[in-house]
Amino acid sequence: KGLMITQAKAMELLRDDLKKVERCINRQPFAERLTQGQFDALASFIFNVGMSAFQASTMRKRLCVGDYEAVAGEFKRWVYGTVNGKKEKLPGLVKRRECECKMFIESE
């Protein structure tokens, strides 16, 4: 009745998606300046919001000019989702962004 996949297939799909995110980050002009923690925080963020959204984001622009302090603030802007046709701040996204921001900042 529904889509059923094995744990192994789920892990294969996740690895494939993460490879795409890693390539997205590695193609950026700032990629070589990132610490592992910053890379990981961005990977989590991009995996969640999508590569197209990231490419068009102010966060990416801040990263390109090396304004990492401003980047930390950009995580906090991405906490809204659509619920019943309205944009709402979602507690789960707030928590996720706090974790990503912390990982990014603490690994500078």
Side-chain angles (χ1 to χ4, degrees), residues 59 62-63 67-78 97-98 100-102 104-106 108:
M59 177 186 285
R62 304 264 191 242
L63 284 161
D67 189 356
Y68 288 4
E69 192 172 310
V71 170
E74 290 298 315
F75 282 102
K76 297 170 185 159
R77 297 180 60 209
W78 293 79
R97 298 299 175 248
E98 286 172 355
E100 291 164 345
C101 182
K102 183 177 179 184
F104 188 89
I105 291 170
E106 289 180 357
E108 282 189 82

Side-chain angles (χ1 to χ4, degrees), residues 43-88:
S44 174
F45 176 79
I46 295 168
F47 183 85
N48 185 243
V49 304
M51 289 178 274
S52 295
F54 173 71
Q55 289 289 77
S57 72
T58 301
M59 177 186 285
R60 182 183 174 280
K61 292 174 186 140
R62 304 264 191 242
L63 284 161
C64 286
V65 298
D67 189 356
Y68 288 4
E69 192 172 310
V71 170
E74 290 298 315
F75 282 102
K76 297 170 185 159
R77 297 180 60 209
W78 293 79
V79 295
Y80 296 90
T82 304
V83 178
N84 297 323
K86 296 180 182 178
K87 290 282 186 183
E88 291 185 21

Side-chain angles (χ1 to χ4, degrees), residues 2 4 6-9 16-17 19-20 27 33 35 57 62 65 70 77 88 100 102 106-108:
M4 300 285 289
T6 65
Q7 180 71 25
K9 183 63 176 177
D16 289 346
D17 285 346
K19 284 178 187 175
K20 293 173 191 170
R27 285 192 305 256
R33 297 189 310 259
T35 65
S57 72
R62 304 264 191 242
V65 298
R77 297 180 60 209
E88 291 185 21
E100 291 164 345
K102 183 177 179 184
E106 289 180 357
S107 61
E108 282 189 82

